[in-house]
């Protein structure tokens, strides 16, 4: 089973940036947790981080013929990138949206996700556990269906 | 570790009601999964379902002196019960909100949770897995802190 | 043919409360008219009034295995009880919404029904005749289809 | 007793147009039901259909000195014709608004009636029965008051 | 100098309809006042009343080659007839909008005129004097400019 | 008959300020026209201009025991001075609101008058003629009723 | 003189819950203050607290034939319970709404009371003094009118 | 192949009215271009212009049994005529909406078409070419499907 | 203890103006009640009424070095005077907002106070008792804290 | 004559992605149609597709000194890319916006184009014909004016 | 070169009031900085502070025949004083708006300036440097044009 | 002292694009002014312009370990790039937002900056002087604090 992990803008600064909001783990720490979890489940991961909306879209397009599902933390693109939304819809793979912080406790603009309606689900507010629980959930969902790409 | 599981209105009909939206598992099926998961983690559960907003509030109040955390699927109260919100805030326990369906794919009124801002986080759209991943996540969060009630 | 008649909050005060708005008939007067009409049509009625949202939901749930249709005056729950809405949708029985007063002539908040979209129809503003015409219409609709519960 | 029946724009296509929404009865079928019902109650009907807002207003004006009440399905004028609203208010006759389909299940713009506040009441969603129950209700209301035109 | 006087829907009922709102003068009374005033000022009037939006537009179009200005009480078309607005703009004649009642004291929807921005001005709330002062003002404005049609 | 004429903020600059919007007559020119008109009708005028909201309110209060009516151009206070609104309502005299320019052709914020609902009527867009027609209309209205202060 | 004191949801936790918002007095402390104040004024109190909207409505209905007025802290029901609003309107007794905290300093949703328009008045932000001043004010208002139930 | 061409209100003034907005071609000029284009494609046209909403609806109804498609410039009815919308939906023929001017550069109210959702598409802003390209496109679409009326 | 009492615009007309809304007591009557109450509590009052927003701000500024608290009825400034709001915030004294009438029963614009968030609390709807209860409450609050100016 | 053809995000997946919405032609199919059409008209095309907003802006900038017009399908950037809007405005070339699907039949967010106001016009809903008609129209417009770059 | 410096309401308390928001410099400190800066540039200043909207308008009017430009910190009038806006527009002098605090970090109502559209520009959030940079910028702008008053 | 200067999309066209809005200086002209000013103050500048949102974010990230402050003209990203907002917040350096034109005089969408709340301040409308005053102000702010990166 192949899964694409996408990290959106500014997530490369994790651990360095506003730790009281996003936690003290670095992106590499989280990626390592995800890799370990994937290995235990016989899942192959590709991990992409970019601050460029277009690069994230390109990565989703490439995943069309390789991945069975997508785990995505879209960062601030969550709130306005209809292009990312179309890309998720276009590749027709189960996509799970995760957020480190509880976006509903923060500024008004963070309460609205323009992506949620084209994802299978959403996990928010559990810190790095949003990622690990998200990957676990995504694997379970993919396992419960047939898997041809 | 003690955890209260709260099921809001109409969830007693799970499996019977609109299975294409909510899945074919009954509430008892889900409760049994949660009980097994709790047992494996040495966690004691209390499970309450009610169609009465007041009964859910009463259950939260009782949990103040017993539970370390709360797993709640507030059903339709998600969208208007500020009284439930105040009860969650009042008991000062980590509370995790879960939804079976992806509320963001459904009617506009389901996109807004008046509870999310007083919960630690939210898991939506993963069917019964929203519950099991939610309980797993809640246990992890509680284990990472000191536990006196 | 079995029909549940549900009266929402404050309707127990009918005849006593603001007669210029709601008419001078008591709830018992209206129930008697409905019972007579039911008897003439060979219909069995169960009539429930409650000021408790949860009790109305419970009554709808019980009707799942007994009633063929529901006549409901949801009172003020009309305007915010998404839990009641979910209950109506969940039992999958034709439900007809009635109001004594013309809600569209009154305060802005009364113009919006959160239930109307899951009912088959709505009759408003005809005083107690909203109930009797509503029961008549509901019986006609049920008679025009097959009736297994 | 004299009653004007007004059918708004596009209702001449009933039975031909979107039968899954409006039913398969033609306007003539419905008119015949209304005529039979009127005859049984000793009521004289005048029936007018027009796609012209002005023609409906003219018909209402003419009804001032002849009719005791009005049964109206305003079609799409429901949602914007303040001129029709003024006409209804101006003739000071009980007017009952009916709709074949449940407008509250359809597009957002159909949820708002600019006429409802100047009518005595509204019946929606019961197909041709909205008309027959409407005429029945209107006759009952007119019978319960004095009738000088 | 030639002036078109346009009366919109329901104004034919003036004096008969809601006299506490619109006054007890009939439309003919008002027309006579306007005719007298016109005669005193050497002005020729054409007066049109219609409940048909299209007829009012046609009348405006005909005025293009005859009238120097227009006095219009658009009735309820004030609030939604963008077609009338376009007609007023298209004929490029000074147009003065008048209302008998003070629309700002009435329902919210009457506070907005979609025509005001293409008229030279507006007089509201002075009863039949809105018309006579309006005609006076329009004549003054036309006299202060050159008059070729 | 006694009439108070109130000019709001910035009207002292009339003729000097944006003549393409407000015309080239000075405030004194307009006051002279109003004085002549008053004299011809046996009316006594008091004229007050102020850029101070409080001074306009004080002037209205003083008019309670002297004036029979008020002609007011509230300038920009039109759009937000609820204190001026309360003052107009408090003195219980017919008040006529006038504007030189057609406020409906200008910025959005100028389309809303918070005063209009407590005035008898409004004349807008006719330049200085808004004042002279306004005074004429106000005198006519006052003459048609009894006049004790 | 008989007065019903109603405490809404979560007020049973007073003193225990968020003391920086609601103060450190318990509900029993406040009730004792109110009882003392009532005794000094020869007033009989009935005090009800419930987390159930329906129970509060029932209590109001029972008060119809016993109480002369009602002192109510509706808690979070303030913001959405139109059923409670109808109950207050239905019993036709002076009802005074009180809040411990200054709701206008808190979340946006707390700024709107759907009950205020059917109460005689409102006291907010004075901690337990909102209750004691509220009871004092209610007694004064009731004393200034005739008192038959 | 038969096509109805509908021109809405004020379009009879084309060439005469605001040429900087709508171009200097008259409606007859445009009709002639359309007739030539139709002739070249073996298409029969019927062309109707009316300022009367009802007349446009009537024309659409008549087209039900004759036309294969409709080319419509609804003029200002674009923005509010839900009756026209229902007529377009009712006749179940491909309908293409065209506008001479770029409505998105003009007043806010022109940005919204209540008809667009029931048309196959929309061409705006290309002057008379909106018509000729529209007719070309409509013919192509009709040619690509079977043509029984 | 020193307290400033501020009366906003139009309150000088109390007793004279709309007595059905504001009561029949004059401002002097209310001031006398407040003076008596102050005397009984050993409190010194300064009382200022003005129709000028600036004068109220000046009075608040002067109170900085003399008063321990402020009792304010801001009149219509309640709804828009952000300058008054800043003045209240700037002097850092407990300020209590009172209103004679129940603003929530009146026009929509009166439901919003731009000052409430910077006051300690609000009393509305109790007529002159809003003032006396307000002064009592303010004295109690000030007595419960240390008092250096 | 030189024309730039710009395809926005996700359009590289045409034919592969949601064919029921976007048609079964690939982007290369459409480009070939455009190239053939250009060749027939003696027009030189440059065609750019990118999922990167910045790359589309760069391409527009480069077109400043080469192209006479632009045909653009902005994909989802239509709804939020004000940067693209500024780029279109900045290069001061006629730009025509095309969409394959009828955006007005789809999600609410697709009804608004932030680009339309700076384009000459818009063609929506005609599938690949939106492109070919768009190119035809753009060529016609450019031919009707002088062509120096 | 002559420049008017206007300080709006509550700015007289600078240094005394909420220093964490507005800084610890007094208004006199700031005025001295501005005077020094003016002297160095050969500019004559007049400085006015008032809590009275009318006084600020009067000062602007007086500046018409003396000043070449205006530096204004409108305080809270920024958000609602359309009268001040009209005064700025009326005197037709370059006016620069400055704010000490970053209004965009504060309450929602502070994000909107009703004056900005009639000023040449705005400097916010730089503390007293907003004033000194503002004066510098204004002088530069005035120097770059001809200077007759 | 090190400062990053960021120019957003389309600013590379300065001087070429809409000079009546943005001035006739090219970006290089402005950069040279900034370099001269920096040199005079012993400040080192890095200057980046990009039409790619991601490139601007990358540049901000790189500035974390080098720059003491940021001067940014975000161009149209001002109005929607929450990703840029997060990047500014993440690097925790004083950031000053500048705009050449007075955005408040232009289209509605330009009135809102999603970045302003995370910047120290904003300078708008002063043409190239927005940049030079902005750099001056930023240097002053940085000089007034300690400077370790």
């Amino acid at each position: 089973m192949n899964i694409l992990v996408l990290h959106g803008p500014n997530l490369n600064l994790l651990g360095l940036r506003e730790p009281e909001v996003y936690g003290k783990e670095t992106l590499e720490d989280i990626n390592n947790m995800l890799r370990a979890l994937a290995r235990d489940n016989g899942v192959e991961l590709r991990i992409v981080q970019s601050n460029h909306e277009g690069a994230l879209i390109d990565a989703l397009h490439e995943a069309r013929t390789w991945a069975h599902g997508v785990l995505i933390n879209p960062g601030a693109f969550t709130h306005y990138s209809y292009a990312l939304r179309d890309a998720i819809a276009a590749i027709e793979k189960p996509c799970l949206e995760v957020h480190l912080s509880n976006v509903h406790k923060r500024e008004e603009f963070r309460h609205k996700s323009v992506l949620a309606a084209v994802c299978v689900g959403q996990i928010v507010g559990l810190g790095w556990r949003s990622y690990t629980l998200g990957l676990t959930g995504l694997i379970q969902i993919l396992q419960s269906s047939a898997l041809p790409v």
Side-chain angles (χ1 to χ4, degrees), chain A:
Chain A
M1 188 192 295
N2 301 335
I3 290 179
L4 172 67
V5 177
L6 270 188
H7 304 290
N10 297 303
L11 289 166
N12 52 318
L13 296 185
L14 266 189
L16 311 171
R17 162 197 181 199
E18 300 165 89
E20 73 292 354
V21 178
Y22 297 105
K24 61 180 195 296
E25 288 74 18
T26 65
L27 190 60
E28 196 49 31
D29 293 338
I30 289 176
N31 285 341
N32 285 336
M33 294 185 216
L34 295 176
R35 285 188 196 107
L37 189 54
R39 209 177 312 117
D40 294 352
N41 286 275
V43 167
E44 194 172 341
L45 292 191
R46 275 191 207 159
I47 302 183
V48 175
Q49 189 277 331
S50 178
N51 298 323
H52 295 247
E53 183 190 37
L56 297 171
I57 296 170
D58 290 345
L60 282 164
H61 287 191
E62 285 162 25
R64 279 185 69 245
T65 53
W66 174 80
H68 300 88
V70 181
L71 188 74
I72 183 168
N73 179 344
F77 290 151
T78 304
H79 313 304
Y80 63 103
S81 179
Y82 289 108
L84 208 52
R85 174 190 174 116
D86 277 358
I88 292 171
I91 63 168
E92 294 174 344
K93 304 286 175 186
C95 184
L96 187 57
E97 178 184 345
V98 299
H99 295 279
L100 295 157
S101 66
N102 184 347
V103 290
H104 302 294
K105 279 190 177 156
R106 301 175 65 198
E107 302 97 323
E108 181 71 20
F109 73 81
R110 295 197 203 271
H111 300 189
K112 172 77 187 162
S113 166
V114 304
L115 308 180
V118 294
C119 292
V120 292
Q122 210 188 27
I123 300 185
V124 311
L126 304 180
W128 55 264
R129 290 178 184 91
S130 292
Y131 276 102
T132 52
L133 290 169
L135 184 55
T136 304
L138 185 58
I139 292 171
Q140 290 180 7
I141 284 170
L142 292 170
Q143 282 172 336
S144 68
S145 358
L147 271 184
V149 176

